[in-house]
mmCIF file of all heavy atoms in Angstrom:
data_model
loop_
_atom_site.group_PDB
_atom_site.id
_atom_site.type_symbol
_atom_site.label_atom_id
_atom_site.label_comp_id
_atom_site.label_asym_id
_atom_site.label_seq_id
_atom_site.Cartn_x
_atom_site.Cartn_y
_atom_site.Cartn_z
ATOM 1 N N LYS A 1 0.884 -1.164 0.057
ATOM 2 C CA LYS A 1 0.046 0.033 -0.052
ATOM 3 C C LYS A 1 0.879 1.324 -0.039
ATOM 4 O O LYS A 1 0.558 2.213 -0.714
ATOM 5 C CB LYS A 1 -0.901 -0.048 1.273
ATOM 6 C CG LYS A 1 -1.856 1.164 1.297
ATOM 7 C CD LYS A 1 -3.126 0.875 0.496
ATOM 8 C CE LYS A 1 -4.187 1.958 0.660
ATOM 9 N NZ LYS A 1 -5.399 1.726 -0.103
ATOM 10 N N ILE A 2 1.910 1.275 0.829
ATOM 11 C CA ILE A 2 2.606 2.533 0.990
ATOM 12 C C ILE A 2 3.887 2.603 0.090
ATOM 13 O O ILE A 2 4.562 3.712 0.094
ATOM 14 C CB ILE A 2 3.143 2.721 2.416
ATOM 15 C CG1 ILE A 2 4.143 1.628 2.804
ATOM 16 C CG2 ILE A 2 1.954 2.691 3.354
ATOM 17 C CD1 ILE A 2 4.867 1.914 4.182
ATOM 18 N N ARG A 3 4.111 1.584 -0.699
ATOM 19 C CA ARG A 3 5.324 1.529 -1.474
ATOM 20 C C ARG A 3 5.582 2.797 -2.329
ATOM 21 O O ARG A 3 6.683 3.437 -2.180
ATOM 22 C CB ARG A 3 5.353 0.345 -2.318
ATOM 23 C CG ARG A 3 6.629 0.148 -3.220
ATOM 24 C CD ARG A 3 6.441 -1.034 -4.172
ATOM 25 N NE ARG A 3 6.051 -2.349 -3.463
ATOM 26 C CZ ARG A 3 6.958 -3.114 -2.825
ATOM 27 N NH1 ARG A 3 8.261 -2.802 -2.873
ATOM 28 N NH2 ARG A 3 6.540 -4.112 -2.242
ATOM 29 N N LYS A 4 4.489 3.297 -2.982
ATOM 30 C CA LYS A 4 4.659 4.377 -3.920
ATOM 31 C C LYS A 4 4.632 5.791 -3.160
ATOM 32 O O LYS A 4 4.800 6.786 -3.729
ATOM 33 C CB LYS A 4 3.611 4.351 -4.998
ATOM 34 C CG LYS A 4 2.202 4.525 -4.503
ATOM 35 C CD LYS A 4 1.192 4.434 -5.677
ATOM 36 C CE LYS A 4 -0.233 4.588 -5.232
ATOM 37 N NZ LYS A 4 -1.295 4.523 -6.257
ATOM 38 N N TYR A 5 4.248 5.720 -1.879
ATOM 39 C CA TYR A 5 4.141 7.064 -1.177
ATOM 40 C C TYR A 5 5.502 7.433 -0.558
ATOM 41 O O TYR A 5 5.529 8.590 -0.140
ATOM 42 C CB TYR A 5 2.996 6.920 -0.127
ATOM 43 C CG TYR A 5 1.673 6.779 -0.812
ATOM 44 C CD1 TYR A 5 1.053 5.626 -1.087
ATOM 45 C CD2 TYR A 5 0.896 7.969 -1.133
ATOM 46 C CE1 TYR A 5 -0.225 5.548 -1.711
ATOM 47 C CE2 TYR A 5 -0.308 7.928 -1.830
ATOM 48 C CZ TYR A 5 -0.902 6.709 -2.077
ATOM 49 O OH TYR A 5 -2.022 6.571 -2.713
ATOM 50 N N ASN A 6 6.402 6.583 -0.323
ATOM 51 C CA ASN A 6 7.669 6.876 0.201
ATOM 52 C C ASN A 6 7.700 7.692 1.540
ATOM 53 O O ASN A 6 8.166 8.806 1.557
ATOM 54 C CB ASN A 6 8.481 7.643 -0.819
ATOM 55 C CG ASN A 6 8.955 6.733 -1.975
ATOM 56 O OD1 ASN A 6 9.458 5.599 -1.722
ATOM 57 N ND2 ASN A 6 8.932 7.153 -3.200
ATOM 58 N N PRO A 7 7.185 7.092 2.606
ATOM 59 C CA PRO A 7 7.338 7.825 3.883
ATOM 60 C C PRO A 7 8.815 7.937 4.155
ATOM 61 O O PRO A 7 9.652 7.228 3.592
ATOM 62 C CB PRO A 7 6.653 6.910 4.842
ATOM 63 C CG PRO A 7 6.715 5.559 4.245
ATOM 64 C CD PRO A 7 6.618 5.792 2.744
ATOM 65 N N ASP A 8 9.194 8.834 5.142
ATOM 66 C CA ASP A 8 10.577 9.190 5.359
ATOM 67 C C ASP A 8 11.259 8.103 6.261
ATOM 68 O O ASP A 8 12.486 8.205 6.456
ATOM 69 C CB ASP A 8 10.653 10.543 5.991
ATOM 70 C CG ASP A 8 10.103 11.668 4.989
ATOM 71 O OD1 ASP A 8 10.903 11.981 4.026
ATOM 72 O OD2 ASP A 8 9.024 12.065 5.119
ATOM 73 N N GLY A 9 10.508 7.234 6.790
ATOM 74 C CA GLY A 9 11.100 6.255 7.548
ATOM 75 C C GLY A 9 10.019 5.316 8.278
ATOM 76 O O GLY A 9 8.852 5.670 8.339
ATOM 77 N N LEU A 10 10.434 4.142 8.665
ATOM 78 C CA LEU A 10 9.508 3.152 9.357
ATOM 79 C C LEU A 10 10.095 2.993 10.844
ATOM 80 O O LEU A 10 11.312 2.669 10.797
ATOM 81 C CB LEU A 10 9.296 1.870 8.568
ATOM 82 C CG LEU A 10 8.782 1.904 7.175
ATOM 83 C CD1 LEU A 10 8.727 0.519 6.523
ATOM 84 C CD2 LEU A 10 7.425 2.572 7.181
ATOM 85 N N ILE A 11 9.238 3.174 11.795
ATOM 86 C CA ILE A 11 9.830 2.948 13.153
ATOM 87 C C ILE A 11 9.391 1.620 13.626
ATOM 88 O O ILE A 11 8.224 1.227 13.829
ATOM 89 C CB ILE A 11 9.190 4.024 14.071
ATOM 90 C CG1 ILE A 11 9.473 5.423 13.485
ATOM 91 C CG2 ILE A 11 9.747 3.845 15.512
ATOM 92 C CD1 ILE A 11 8.894 6.535 14.292
ATOM 93 N N ILE A 12 10.422 0.718 13.861
ATOM 94 C CA ILE A 12 10.187 -0.697 14.082
ATOM 95 C C ILE A 12 10.885 -1.170 15.357
ATOM 96 O O ILE A 12 11.937 -0.683 15.673
ATOM 97 C CB ILE A 12 10.660 -1.513 12.917
ATOM 98 C CG1 ILE A 12 9.843 -1.144 11.577
ATOM 99 C CG2 ILE A 12 10.504 -2.943 13.107
ATOM 100 C CD1 ILE A 12 10.431 -1.712 10.341
ATOM 101 N N SER A 13 10.258 -2.127 16.138
ATOM 102 C CA SER A 13 10.809 -2.607 17.311
ATOM 103 C C SER A 13 11.188 -4.139 17.169
ATOM 104 O O SER A 13 12.072 -4.538 17.822
ATOM 105 C CB SER A 13 9.980 -2.382 18.571
ATOM 106 O OG SER A 13 8.664 -2.906 18.321
ATOM 107 N N ASP A 14 10.356 -4.807 16.446
ATOM 108 C CA ASP A 14 10.541 -6.228 16.331
ATOM 109 C C ASP A 14 11.580 -6.676 15.189
ATOM 110 O O ASP A 14 11.460 -6.143 14.049
ATOM 111 C CB ASP A 14 9.141 -6.862 15.893
ATOM 112 C CG ASP A 14 9.024 -8.412 15.896
ATOM 113 O OD1 ASP A 14 9.987 -8.955 15.284
ATOM 114 O OD2 ASP A 14 8.151 -8.961 16.510
ATOM 115 N N PRO A 15 12.547 -7.377 15.478
ATOM 116 C CA PRO A 15 13.622 -7.772 14.526
ATOM 117 C C PRO A 15 13.048 -8.498 13.325
ATOM 118 O O PRO A 15 13.477 -8.228 12.158
ATOM 119 C CB PRO A 15 14.570 -8.763 15.339
ATOM 120 C CG PRO A 15 14.350 -8.372 16.765
ATOM 121 C CD PRO A 15 12.899 -7.903 16.918
ATOM 122 N N GLY A 16 11.917 -9.275 13.486
ATOM 123 C CA GLY A 16 11.438 -10.008 12.336
ATOM 124 C C GLY A 16 10.670 -9.005 11.474
ATOM 125 O O GLY A 16 10.803 -8.987 10.192
ATOM 126 N N VAL A 17 9.951 -8.019 11.983
ATOM 127 C CA VAL A 17 9.398 -6.956 11.263
ATOM 128 C C VAL A 17 10.423 -6.110 10.486
ATOM 129 O O VAL A 17 10.269 -5.770 9.412
ATOM 130 C CB VAL A 17 8.424 -6.062 12.104
ATOM 131 C CG1 VAL A 17 7.799 -4.913 11.272
ATOM 132 C CG2 VAL A 17 7.296 -6.907 12.689
ATOM 133 N N PHE A 18 11.515 -5.858 11.199
ATOM 134 C CA PHE A 18 12.546 -5.071 10.609
ATOM 135 C C PHE A 18 13.153 -5.762 9.260
ATOM 136 O O PHE A 18 13.193 -5.131 8.351
ATOM 137 C CB PHE A 18 13.750 -4.922 11.659
ATOM 138 C CG PHE A 18 14.844 -3.999 11.216
ATOM 139 C CD1 PHE A 18 14.895 -2.720 11.653
ATOM 140 C CD2 PHE A 18 15.909 -4.550 10.496
ATOM 141 C CE1 PHE A 18 16.005 -1.874 11.249
ATOM 142 C CE2 PHE A 18 16.950 -3.726 9.978
ATOM 143 C CZ PHE A 18 16.939 -2.319 10.447
ATOM 144 N N MET A 19 13.450 -7.009 9.403
ATOM 145 C CA MET A 19 13.975 -7.753 8.252
ATOM 146 C C MET A 19 12.972 -7.902 7.141
ATOM 147 O O MET A 19 13.301 -7.840 5.965
ATOM 148 C CB MET A 19 14.493 -9.086 8.770
ATOM 149 C CG MET A 19 15.629 -9.023 9.760
ATOM 150 S SD MET A 19 17.078 -7.948 9.203
ATOM 151 C CE MET A 19 17.725 -8.936 7.865
ATOM 152 N N PHE A 20 11.662 -8.040 7.524
ATOM 153 C CA PHE A 20 10.601 -8.207 6.636
ATOM 154 C C PHE A 20 10.532 -6.886 5.754
ATOM 155 O O PHE A 20 10.383 -6.931 4.548
ATOM 156 C CB PHE A 20 9.261 -8.467 7.393
ATOM 157 C CG PHE A 20 8.136 -8.736 6.440
ATOM 158 C CD1 PHE A 20 7.800 -10.102 5.977
ATOM 159 C CD2 PHE A 20 7.322 -7.727 5.992
ATOM 160 C CE1 PHE A 20 6.756 -10.363 5.246
ATOM 161 C CE2 PHE A 20 6.231 -7.950 5.098
ATOM 162 C CZ PHE A 20 5.961 -9.313 4.777
ATOM 163 N N MET A 21 10.503 -5.754 6.476
ATOM 164 C CA MET A 21 10.400 -4.477 5.733
ATOM 165 C C MET A 21 11.707 -4.064 4.984
ATOM 166 O O MET A 21 11.607 -3.375 3.921
ATOM 167 C CB MET A 21 9.922 -3.347 6.732
ATOM 168 C CG MET A 21 8.537 -3.427 7.131
ATOM 169 S SD MET A 21 7.409 -3.342 5.802
ATOM 170 C CE MET A 21 5.889 -3.782 6.548
ATOM 171 N N LYS A 22 12.718 -4.564 5.507
ATOM 172 C CA LYS A 22 14.063 -4.303 4.764
ATOM 173 C C LYS A 22 13.923 -4.920 3.461
ATOM 174 O O LYS A 22 14.445 -4.387 2.441
ATOM 175 C CB LYS A 22 15.158 -4.730 5.611
ATOM 176 C CG LYS A 22 16.584 -4.606 4.966
ATOM 177 C CD LYS A 22 17.653 -5.071 5.938
ATOM 178 C CE LYS A 22 19.007 -4.904 5.257
ATOM 179 N NZ LYS A 22 20.116 -5.496 6.083
ATOM 180 N N GLU A 23 13.407 -6.087 3.358
ATOM 181 C CA GLU A 23 13.329 -6.817 2.086
ATOM 182 C C GLU A 23 12.284 -6.269 1.247
ATOM 183 O O GLU A 23 12.366 -6.098 0.036
ATOM 184 C CB GLU A 23 13.057 -8.372 2.375
ATOM 185 C CG GLU A 23 12.947 -9.146 1.140
ATOM 186 C CD GLU A 23 12.633 -10.632 1.353
ATOM 187 O OE1 GLU A 23 12.853 -11.053 2.523
ATOM 188 O OE2 GLU A 23 12.181 -11.304 0.423
ATOM 189 N N LYS A 24 11.106 -5.967 1.745
ATOM 190 C CA LYS A 24 10.008 -5.536 1.049
ATOM 191 C C LYS A 24 10.192 -4.060 0.541
ATOM 192 O O LYS A 24 9.658 -3.689 -0.612
ATOM 193 C CB LYS A 24 8.701 -5.626 1.877
ATOM 194 C CG LYS A 24 8.239 -6.978 2.170
ATOM 195 C CD LYS A 24 7.594 -7.675 0.901
ATOM 196 C CE LYS A 24 7.115 -9.080 1.130
ATOM 197 N NZ LYS A 24 6.500 -9.739 0.011
ATOM 198 N N LEU A 25 10.707 -3.183 1.420
ATOM 199 C CA LEU A 25 10.740 -1.829 1.028
ATOM 200 C C LEU A 25 12.274 -1.334 1.231
ATOM 201 O O LEU A 25 12.633 -0.553 2.166
ATOM 202 C CB LEU A 25 9.807 -0.969 2.001
ATOM 203 C CG LEU A 25 8.351 -1.307 1.918
ATOM 204 C CD1 LEU A 25 7.593 -0.650 2.967
ATOM 205 C CD2 LEU A 25 7.772 -0.945 0.552
ATOM 206 N N PRO A 26 13.156 -1.716 0.407
ATOM 207 C CA PRO A 26 14.547 -1.435 0.632
ATOM 208 C C PRO A 26 14.954 -0.010 0.474
ATOM 209 O O PRO A 26 16.022 0.384 1.016
ATOM 210 C CB PRO A 26 15.230 -2.309 -0.482
ATOM 211 C CG PRO A 26 14.159 -2.473 -1.526
ATOM 212 C CD PRO A 26 12.941 -2.483 -0.819
ATOM 213 N N ASN A 27 14.057 0.778 -0.058
ATOM 214 C CA ASN A 27 14.437 2.293 -0.346
ATOM 215 C C ASN A 27 13.916 3.119 0.831
ATOM 216 O O ASN A 27 14.153 4.364 0.900
ATOM 217 C CB ASN A 27 13.844 2.701 -1.588
ATOM 218 C CG ASN A 27 14.534 1.995 -2.802
ATOM 219 O OD1 ASN A 27 15.741 1.682 -2.706
ATOM 220 N ND2 ASN A 27 13.701 1.686 -3.824
ATOM 221 N N ILE A 28 13.134 2.570 1.824
ATOM 222 C CA ILE A 28 12.632 3.369 2.880
ATOM 223 C C ILE A 28 13.563 3.188 4.119
ATOM 224 O O ILE A 28 13.739 2.011 4.616
ATOM 225 C CB ILE A 28 11.225 3.037 3.189
ATOM 226 C CG1 ILE A 28 10.313 3.268 2.077
ATOM 227 C CG2 ILE A 28 10.679 3.759 4.414
ATOM 228 C CD1 ILE A 28 8.850 3.013 2.181
ATOM 229 N N PRO A 29 14.074 4.303 4.701
ATOM 230 C CA PRO A 29 14.979 4.103 5.939
ATOM 231 C C PRO A 29 14.209 3.431 7.019
ATOM 232 O O PRO A 29 13.015 3.682 7.256
ATOM 233 C CB PRO A 29 15.278 5.472 6.232
ATOM 234 C CG PRO A 29 15.089 6.318 5.016
ATOM 235 C CD PRO A 29 13.992 5.639 4.261
ATOM 236 N N LEU A 30 14.853 2.553 7.745
ATOM 237 C CA LEU A 30 14.357 1.941 8.976
ATOM 238 C C LEU A 30 14.908 2.542 10.229
ATOM 239 O O LEU A 30 16.093 2.634 10.419
ATOM 240 C CB LEU A 30 14.655 0.433 8.883
ATOM 241 C CG LEU A 30 14.050 -0.295 7.693
ATOM 242 C CD1 LEU A 30 14.435 -1.777 7.747
ATOM 243 C CD2 LEU A 30 12.586 -0.032 7.458
ATOM 244 N N HIS A 31 14.036 2.825 11.175
ATOM 245 C CA HIS A 31 14.256 3.476 12.427
ATOM 246 C C HIS A 31 13.949 2.332 13.484
ATOM 247 O O HIS A 31 13.057 1.608 13.468
ATOM 248 C CB HIS A 31 13.550 4.649 12.754
ATOM 249 C CG HIS A 31 13.750 5.787 11.863
ATOM 250 N ND1 HIS A 31 13.478 7.086 12.158
ATOM 251 C CD2 HIS A 31 14.229 5.875 10.579
ATOM 252 C CE1 HIS A 31 13.855 7.921 11.145
ATOM 253 N NE2 HIS A 31 14.247 7.147 10.164
ATOM 254 N N VAL A 32 14.765 2.268 14.501
ATOM 255 C CA VAL A 32 14.589 1.368 15.609
ATOM 256 C C VAL A 32 13.752 2.001 16.768
ATOM 257 O O VAL A 32 14.220 3.032 17.291
ATOM 258 C CB VAL A 32 15.923 0.767 16.147
ATOM 259 C CG1 VAL A 32 15.635 -0.240 17.277
ATOM 260 C CG2 VAL A 32 16.633 0.117 14.962
ATOM 261 N N SER A 33 12.623 1.468 17.073
ATOM 262 C CA SER A 33 11.752 2.059 18.080
ATOM 263 C C SER A 33 12.324 1.983 19.524
ATOM 264 O O SER A 33 13.132 1.121 19.787
ATOM 265 C CB SER A 33 10.384 1.394 18.042
ATOM 266 O OG SER A 33 9.643 1.761 19.095
ATOM 267 N N THR A 34 11.889 2.865 20.343
ATOM 268 C CA THR A 34 12.071 2.803 21.794
ATOM 269 C C THR A 34 11.865 1.455 22.380
ATOM 270 O O THR A 34 12.324 1.046 23.320
ATOM 271 C CB THR A 34 11.563 4.024 22.572
ATOM 272 O OG1 THR A 34 12.069 4.024 23.939
ATOM 273 C CG2 THR A 34 10.144 3.889 22.556
ATOM 274 N N GLN A 35 10.740 0.830 21.785
ATOM 275 C CA GLN A 35 10.238 -0.449 22.265
ATOM 276 C C GLN A 35 11.424 -1.498 22.210
ATOM 277 O O GLN A 35 11.261 -2.560 22.808
ATOM 278 C CB GLN A 35 9.062 -0.928 21.609
ATOM 279 C CG GLN A 35 7.859 0.013 21.713
ATOM 280 C CD GLN A 35 7.341 0.038 23.159
ATOM 281 O OE1 GLN A 35 7.182 1.231 23.662
ATOM 282 N NE2 GLN A 35 7.192 -1.026 23.730
ATOM 283 N N ALA A 36 12.396 -1.332 21.403
ATOM 284 C CA ALA A 36 13.430 -2.197 21.239
ATOM 285 C C ALA A 36 14.466 -2.156 22.406
ATOM 286 O O ALA A 36 15.402 -2.974 22.442
ATOM 287 C CB ALA A 36 14.189 -2.028 19.874
ATOM 288 N N ASN A 37 14.272 -1.105 23.224
ATOM 289 C CA ASN A 37 15.112 -0.929 24.467
ATOM 290 C C ASN A 37 16.623 -0.765 24.120
ATOM 291 O O ASN A 37 17.427 -1.364 24.825
ATOM 292 C CB ASN A 37 14.886 -2.136 25.381
ATOM 293 C CG ASN A 37 13.450 -2.364 25.707
ATOM 294 O OD1 ASN A 37 12.921 -3.423 25.613
ATOM 295 N ND2 ASN A 37 12.678 -1.345 26.069
ATOM 296 N N VAL A 38 16.878 0.063 23.222
ATOM 297 C CA VAL A 38 18.309 0.334 22.963
ATOM 298 C C VAL A 38 18.853 1.355 23.975
ATOM 299 O O VAL A 38 18.391 2.393 23.989
ATOM 300 C CB VAL A 38 18.502 0.966 21.488
ATOM 301 C CG1 VAL A 38 19.992 1.294 21.218
ATOM 302 C CG2 VAL A 38 18.062 -0.066 20.501
ATOM 303 N N GLY A 39 19.938 0.876 24.598
ATOM 304 C CA GLY A 39 20.452 1.719 25.711
ATOM 305 C C GLY A 39 21.963 1.716 25.815
ATOM 306 O O GLY A 39 22.536 2.163 26.808
ATOM 307 N N SER A 40 22.591 1.153 24.732
ATOM 308 C CA SER A 40 24.096 1.063 24.778
ATOM 309 C C SER A 40 24.507 1.151 23.306
ATOM 310 O O SER A 40 23.795 0.852 22.375
ATOM 311 C CB SER A 40 24.578 -0.178 25.404
ATOM 312 O OG SER A 40 24.330 -1.296 24.534
#
């Protein structure tokens, strides 16, 4: 649905969703959500 609209990024927490969208939408930047608990 969103392929042709080119949002400026996708905010993702789940590694599976991350890899899925990386393959499906390689031209859209991927952001890691705070839900992924990145602290280092």
Side-chain angles (χ1 to χ4, degrees):
K1 184 82 173 179
I2 67 166
R3 184 183 304 277
K4 65 180 179 180
Y5 290 94
N6 287 319
D8 298 280
L10 301 177
I11 304 173
I12 298 171
S13 55
D14 186 310
V17 176
F18 186 96
M19 298 306 291
F20 186 92
M21 287 299 170
K22 181 180 179 181
E23 179 182 345
K24 291 286 182 179
L25 301 170
N27 296 322
I28 296 179
L30 300 182
H31 298 202
V32 181
S33 169
T34 187
Q35 298 297 129
N37 307 128
V38 177
S40 73

